[in-house]
Amino acid sequence: MFSKQPRLSTLALFTAMISIALAAVTNTNLQTTFPTASSTTNLAAVQTILANETFDGEMLQWDRSPSTCNEQAEGADADAVFLLFDGATLSNAIIGPNNGEGIHCLRACTLNNIWWTDVCEDAVTFKGNGTGTVNGGGARKAEDKVMQHNGPGNVVVRNFYAQDVGKVYRSCGNCEAQFARNSRFENLFVEDAGVVVGVNGNLGADTTFISDSCVKGSVGAKGICNLYEGNDNGGEPTKTAGVPDGVTCATSGIRTTDC
Ligand SMILES: *[C@@H]1O[C@H](CO)[C@@H](O)[C@H](O)[C@H]1NC(C)=O
Ligand SMILES: *[C@@H]1O[C@H](CO)[C@@H](O)[C@H](O)[C@H]1NC(C)=O
């Protein structure tokens, strides 16, 4: 007479199905097509993500209104779209064109599947002592830098797409507080960049390692790394080399064709 199977009520089943359907898919694989957002959320002020908290942008476009983009003038935390405190994670967001500073990370942070459609001053700034991790996503139309590394921590980037950018990454060339900064890039797809990374060969020497990546629109090693003589007086840093030196900048498995 009685079924021994516990029965899920129709309502509970329906609710479970709805929540599965609504959960955003976080795709952190390498993707070379920019997603299109169904709508834009215009923020009047920077959106903070508190320490260790996660924020899901649900593949919507996030931007500022009024715009905080002032061409290549260096902006502040208040000009960003998102400001991440230590250990915060942001996933699945499209950052629009009307902001000066994209994302600021105060210490460690994780960015999963984040897309910058038209970078103004820079896309993301790593400011603190902790590892900034970028998984998947991409950026385009950056006159200058995509990722700016100002703090003493590490930056780790995997499966990232960059198109029509000045540099994918720059360790700060002229910050008031300077450090030897470490960065790693794995499985990048870079099309039409001025150079992939720019690092300082002095100041204790940065280290950067770029592996298993495709760099299109450059010839051989030229266009992979620029080495600079960094300073802490705000001056324009001098470029000292334009190819990997195997120490400050090392590479492995870089393809310029067959990508
Ligand atoms: C964030 O998480 C780390 C590691 O679990 C912990 O040490 C830290 O206290 C947390 N911070 C806050 C503000 O919760
Ligand atoms: C960064 O944090 C580590 C670990 O907490 C610490 O050992 C190091 O001194 C810090 N570096 C700076 C420049 O603050």
Side-chain angles (χ1 to χ4, degrees):
M1 292 293 275
F2 298 98
S3 162
K4 284 185 183 157
Q5 298 290 333
R7 288 192 358 187
L8 200 54
S9 80
T10 309
L11 181 62
L13 186 61
F14 185 68
T15 309
M17 283 169 68
I18 293 273
S19 56
I20 288 165
L22 286 180
V25 177
T26 305
N27 184 350
T28 57
N29 296 327
L30 178 68
Q31 302 169 75
T32 54
T33 306
F34 275 76
T36 31
S38 57
S39 69
T40 298
T41 304
N42 279 313
L43 303 167
V46 63
Q47 171 75 51
T48 55
I49 308 175
L50 296 178
N52 297 342
E53 298 211 335
T54 62
F55 188 100
D56 193 327
E58 296 178 347
M59 294 317 287
L60 302 178
Q61 179 163 281
W62 297 80
D63 212 342
R64 293 291 302 271
S65 181
S67 174
T68 58
C69 174
N70 184 17
E71 300 308 323
Q72 293 304 304
E74 184 70 51
D77 291 346
D79 300 319
V81 181
F82 291 101
L83 175 62
L84 277 64
F85 285 73
D86 194 14
T89 298
L90 173 65
S91 302
N92 309 315
I94 298 166
I95 308 296
N98 299 318
N99 60 90
E101 291 289 321
I103 296 168
H104 276 202
C105 286
L106 293 178
R107 279 180 75 102
C109 68
T110 303
L111 306 177
N112 296 321
N113 197 29
I114 307 302
W115 297 85
W116 290 263
T117 58
D118 186 349
V119 177
C120 180
E121 207 275 318
D122 51 32
V124 52
T125 308
F126 301 100
K127 301 183 71 173
N129 188 359
T131 299
T133 304
V134 178
N135 298 312
R140 68 183 173 199
K141 300 186 202 165
E143 212 173 289
D144 190 14
K145 291 156 284 195
V146 174
M147 303 181 191
Q148 170 79 34
H149 190 181
N150 291 353
N154 304 318
V155 168
V156 178
V157 180
R158 300 182 196 94
N159 308 337
F160 191 78
Y161 179 54
Q163 184 196 32
D164 184 18
V165 302
K167 296 180 182 73
V168 176
Y169 167 93
R170 176 70 169 106
S171 80
C172 187
N174 56 13
C175 283
E176 249 171 62
Q178 288 289 33
F179 313 94
R181 303 181 179 93
N182 306 309
S183 54
R184 295 176 71 88
F185 303 87
E186 190 186 314
N187 199 27
L188 300 181
F189 192 113
V190 181
E191 288 183 283
D192 302 320
V195 66
V196 180
V197 306
V199 289
N200 303 316
N202 60 328
L203 306 171
D206 294 338
T207 61
T208 191
F209 181 54
I210 307 160
S211 65
D212 303 319
S213 292
C214 175
V215 182
K216 278 176 115 172
S218 69
V219 181
K222 196 164 172 277
I224 306 290
C225 296
N226 281 353
L227 270 56
Y228 295 88
E229 193 175 308
N231 64 67
D232 59 5
N233 61 22
E236 198 53 38
T238 313
K239 182 175 153 187
T240 55
V243 291
D245 65 349
V247 180
T248 300
C249 173
T251 63
S252 157
I254 305 290
R255 305 180 307 284
T256 55
T257 55
D258 297 328
C259 298

